[in-house]
Amino acid sequence: YIELKKYDEAEKELLTEQKINKDYKTLHREMAIIYKQKGDFEKQEQELKKELEIFPCANTLNDLGEFYFLKQDNNKAEEFFKKAIELEPKNEVCWYNLSYLYWRDNKFDIAIEMAEKILAFNPNYEPIKEHLVEIYTSKGTLSRLNEKYQESEINFKKSLEYTNQPIPIYERL
């Protein structure tokens, strides 16, 4: 039902399965997927936390990291991505997500460091190569903007020294 995007039916089926099979290890994770697709993020979080209590694994920790990333709670996202990496140090997706989190926060050097860790154990992981291009492009763009800003500040201060009148901003750039 999930593949068919019939989430209500999938939810009913899983709840029925839970009554029959008490040892259904990934039930809560699958329920979390359904609630995410339905847009019920509170229930998604609850199900992921239940899954983590029953069956702690890197994938569930990563899912919680992604949940908090999407809520823009970067501290919690970072915490869960790091815990996932502790459990499964060669999980490319967890490293990628941590790198992406740092990139989104403009922490480019840390994002690069995380991305390069993936390449150390899996040099053929294509998504991280594309991500590194994004990071370096962003870093370069922001560096150039910062240089332009600093340059315009210097020019502005010089203009005050010589004329005691500010130069319009459009002439400084």
Side-chain angles (χ1 to χ4, degrees), residues 99 102-104 106-117 119 127-145:
S99 177
Y102 290 133
W103 172 68
R104 185 177 78 176
N106 296 326
K107 296 177 182 177
F108 302 122
D109 292 332
I110 300 171
I112 290 167
E113 182 184 332
M114 299 300 108
E116 288 177 345
K117 289 186 181 201
L119 293 174
I128 204 62
K129 292 176 184 178
E130 295 167 12
H131 180 54
L132 275 167
V133 171
E134 288 178 315
I135 298 169
Y136 280 114
T137 300
S138 298
K139 183 178 179 181
T141 302
L142 287 178
S143 295
R144 285 192 297 279
L145 286 173

Side-chain angles (χ1 to χ4, degrees), residues 52 56-66 80-81 83-84 87:
L52 199 56
C57 70
N59 289 335
T60 305
L61 288 164
N62 185 66
D63 288 349
L64 273 163
E66 179 187 312
F80 282 103
F81 290 144
K83 285 180 180 180
L87 276 181

